[in-house]
Amino acid sequence: MSENSGAGILYIVATPIGNLGDLSPRAKDVLMSVDVIAAEDTRHTSRLLSHFGIKRPLLACHDYNERGRSEQIVQRLQDGESVALVSDAGTPLISDPGYHLVNAVREAGLKVVPVPGACAMVAALSVSGLPSDRFFFEGFLPAKGSGRRKRMAELVDFAHTWIVYESPHRIVDMLDDMAQELGVDRHVVLARELTKTFETVLSGTVVELQDILANDENQRRGEFVVLVRGAEKPELGSGDIPEEVLRTLSVLVEELPMKQASQIAAKLTGVKSKVLYKAGLAMKDA
């Protein structure tokens, strides 16, 4: 559906997750210029706007009224008004309201413009020291222990870094569930109170982090981003190598020295070269 050039624009504006200095100049300009600001919590947003001397009308848009509010906002946009959507902190729609609104606005053929900025999940990943080339954001795990453990069991073999948000009153129980479902040696990072005065980033095995939190109640306070190292792929034994990989290796072994053959086969197949080297030796001895 083509966009209506005469209509207003919905801006998705990221706001600080703690340090107010992280509000971008562009975000400030947009918030000062729009006709209305749709906010997850108008009281929270009014304090942010007051800090920056921004005086714009506020409209509540949260989980409980978003569907109905979306119709009103679409109408305002069609009438030529511009609207900014903000959440309490960070980037809207990332475990915050906004999906139904953005979907409704786009379905109406109206323009949605991102104003990027702070996001707790991305900030935590950037300092975690965990692999970041591929990752999965889970959002919030189920609040109840049984549901939380069930979801962890589904993620136990996930090969890449995965990320969740957690509250202070559940963080200890969450680590206990991780010990049960993922094992006490799984590497985890707890990023707490990011960009705020008492920001900490703790890194270690599940059992090491359990010990830290058990002995320091301050480390159980604040909002958490929890990052989990992906599961290690079990190393193939020579008896586990797929038949097509062995055929590739056998051709290379006939033409090249064993070390070179196994290295080339590893690049072609993704199987570790030392595993292929052992398999090649077994071929020679057979």
Side-chain angles (χ1 to χ4, degrees):
M1 187 179 290
S2 60
E3 293 174 345
N4 184 342
S5 60
I9 296 173
L10 174 64
Y11 295 94
I12 309 302
V13 182
T15 56
I17 58 176
N19 191 318
L20 295 178
D22 290 336
L23 185 73
S24 73
R26 182 185 174 204
K28 183 178 178 181
D29 289 344
V30 168
L31 293 175
M32 292 179 70
S33 66
V34 294
D35 294 290
V36 65
I37 297 171
E40 181 181 3
D41 184 332
T42 55
R43 294 167 300 177
H44 181 94
T45 299
S46 65
R47 291 192 292 271
L48 175 71
L49 299 181
S50 177
H51 177 83
F52 288 101
I54 300 171
K55 297 180 180 180
R56 306 309 302 155
L58 289 171
L59 187 68
C61 184
H62 46 69
D63 284 330
Y64 302 104
N65 74 348
E66 185 182 347
R67 291 177 185 271
R69 191 67 85 191
S70 296
E71 298 178 10
Q72 300 173 27
I73 292 175
V74 167
Q75 184 61 58
R76 296 181 77 145
L77 293 169
Q78 289 172 333
D79 291 342
E81 293 187 18
S82 57
V83 180
L85 174 68
V86 299
S87 62
D88 288 349
T91 301
L93 282 79
I94 309 302
S95 284
D96 278 326
Y99 163 73
H100 297 293
L101 172 59
V102 170
N103 189 53
V105 170
R106 294 188 62 82
E107 284 291 322
L110 302 168
K111 191 172 184 180
V112 183
V113 172
V115 183
C119 176
M121 177 260 298
V122 174
L125 181 62
S126 72
V127 298
S128 69
L130 295 179
S132 57
D133 54 334
R134 295 182 184 179
F135 61 91
F136 172 67
F137 178 57
E138 172 72 8
F140 286 94
L141 290 169
K144 293 185 177 179
S146 58
R148 190 165 55 239
R149 289 188 294 273
K150 180 181 178 182
R151 182 56 182 149
M152 285 182 184
E154 294 169 347
L155 290 168
V156 65
D157 293 324
F158 188 72
H160 308 293
T161 300
W162 51 277
I163 308 167
V164 299
Y165 289 159
E166 192 52 274
S167 62
H169 65 275
R170 283 199 295 265
I171 190 64
V172 171
D173 290 340
M174 181 189 193
L175 286 173
D176 290 343
D177 291 338
M178 283 186 169
Q180 179 178 324
E181 299 298 333
L182 309 180
V184 295
D185 293 326
R186 182 67 71 94
H187 193 93
V188 174
V189 173
L190 301 181
R192 183 181 70 91
E193 293 290 87
L194 288 173
T195 79
K196 302 183 179 89
T197 301
F198 298 107
E199 171 185 284
T200 57
V201 179
L202 302 175
S203 178
T205 63
V206 172
V207 69
E208 288 171 341
L209 295 177
Q210 285 179 307
D211 185 61
I212 291 172
L213 266 61
N215 290 287
D216 186 352
E217 64 176 302
N218 289 323
Q219 295 301 329
R220 303 194 294 269
R221 295 173 178 168
E223 299 301 318
F224 290 84
V225 183
V226 183
L227 306 98
V228 183
R229 183 181 287 276
E232 296 282 344
K233 289 185 178 180
E235 189 172 294
L236 289 174
S238 58
D240 301 318
I241 300 174
E243 190 62 34
E244 60 270 21
V245 175
L246 290 174
R247 284 197 294 270
T248 299
L249 178 63
S250 66
V251 171
L252 293 169
V253 166
E254 291 178 2
E255 304 294 332
L256 299 168
M258 185 64 67
K259 183 176 180 180
Q260 188 177 2
S262 61
Q263 290 174 339
I264 294 174
K267 290 180 180 179
L268 293 172
T269 65
V271 178
K272 289 187 176 180
S273 60
K274 66 179 181 180
V275 174
L276 294 172
Y277 188 88
K278 291 179 181 178
L281 291 177
M283 288 178 184
K284 287 278 191 178
D285 294 338

